[in-house]
Amino acid sequence: MDSPQHFLSPQPFDRAFLDNVLDRAVRMKHGADKRLLEGRSLGLLFFNRSLRTRTSFQVAMFQLGGQCVNLTSSSDFWDLEPEEGKVMDGSAPEHVKDAARVLSSYLDAIAIRTVPFGRNYDVDRRDAVIHAWAKQARVPVLNMESNVHHPCQAMADLMTLRETFGELKGLKVTLAWTANPQPQSAAPVHSLLTAGAKFGIEFTVAHPDGYDLDAGILADAKAEAERAGSTIRVVHDLTEGCRGARAVYARSWPSLECYGQPTVEAVKRSRFTSWIVDGARMRATQDGKFLHPMPVRRNVNVTDEVMDGAGSLVYQQAENRLHSQKAILATFLKS
Ligand code: CP
């Protein structure tokens, strides 16, 4: 049997492939391909909480004539061991190898949201759990957000930017670190940067000193951007980052310098509460639109004025999760 094609990150896919998925998402948003997945079953495995991803995948499968089997770690199933060759005398009573093989015989695809261990970034960045599933499953594995990537979110983001601006090449988009009481995952930003660079988006990444994105992902995205004729710049001032942007995409992410040290990290991030997307910063843009992958903390990440303003695309962006995921399902469950 050929290995199934998985959707773990945008990285292995070229611009033409991603463009086709986006084109399909637009057609599906306008009613194409109804009931395309009649009789098909998608497993949703959640090791971490979700509001949008869980709901939009379930509704997408329902509207395409298929069904979801929704499984939440701890309440529905037990710890699963991802490491091969392990003597399984710890908390996990079952190996991913066995769970993936069995679920592959019931399901047409398996979508997974993982949770980081949160102790060592070099360990977490390997995304061992989702890669173990992809290795062992006999059906496509779709990433619903891992430690490093959130490709389904990135497809909805690109769809929203394309709907709003038409052409992505040369579009000035600022990825803005914002204040937040707890660190959030950088996965949505990593995936948008990775995918958007292939389209030639001109990204500015704005974050305080010490809040660098994953160096490997940034380097790969810069190389992709260069191939596409664009550049990625990094600045350490939010207002400067917003200046001239057509879109500001806000998100908080952890400081990798104190990853796994929540007390140290909390003290560090408390110095940056002024990193909020507000009206003044949006006025520095070029009639800029506001995006956020959500959940969003009002008046911490972004002011009510911007969130509820005419330039906010956040609800269109969230709705596009449904349409773009239908296109992802149609693409990866093709056979
Ligand atoms: N953006 C996103 O993935 O939302 P949820 O965490 O609610 O699924």
Side-chain angles (χ1 to χ4, degrees), residues 49-54 113 144-145 150 153 251 293-295 321:
R49 292 175 296 179
S50 161
L51 188 135
R52 276 146 292 273
T53 307
R54 185 192 294 267
R113 170 168 287 195
M144 294 195 294
E145 190 174 20
H150 197 348
Q153 179 67 54
R251 177 75 175 181
M294 301 176 97
R321 294 292 305 277

Side-chain angles (χ1 to χ4, degrees), residues 277-284 303 305-306:
V277 179
D278 58 11
R281 280 164 174 147
M282 290 307 289
R283 281 188 286 279
T303 58
E305 177 196 5
V306 173

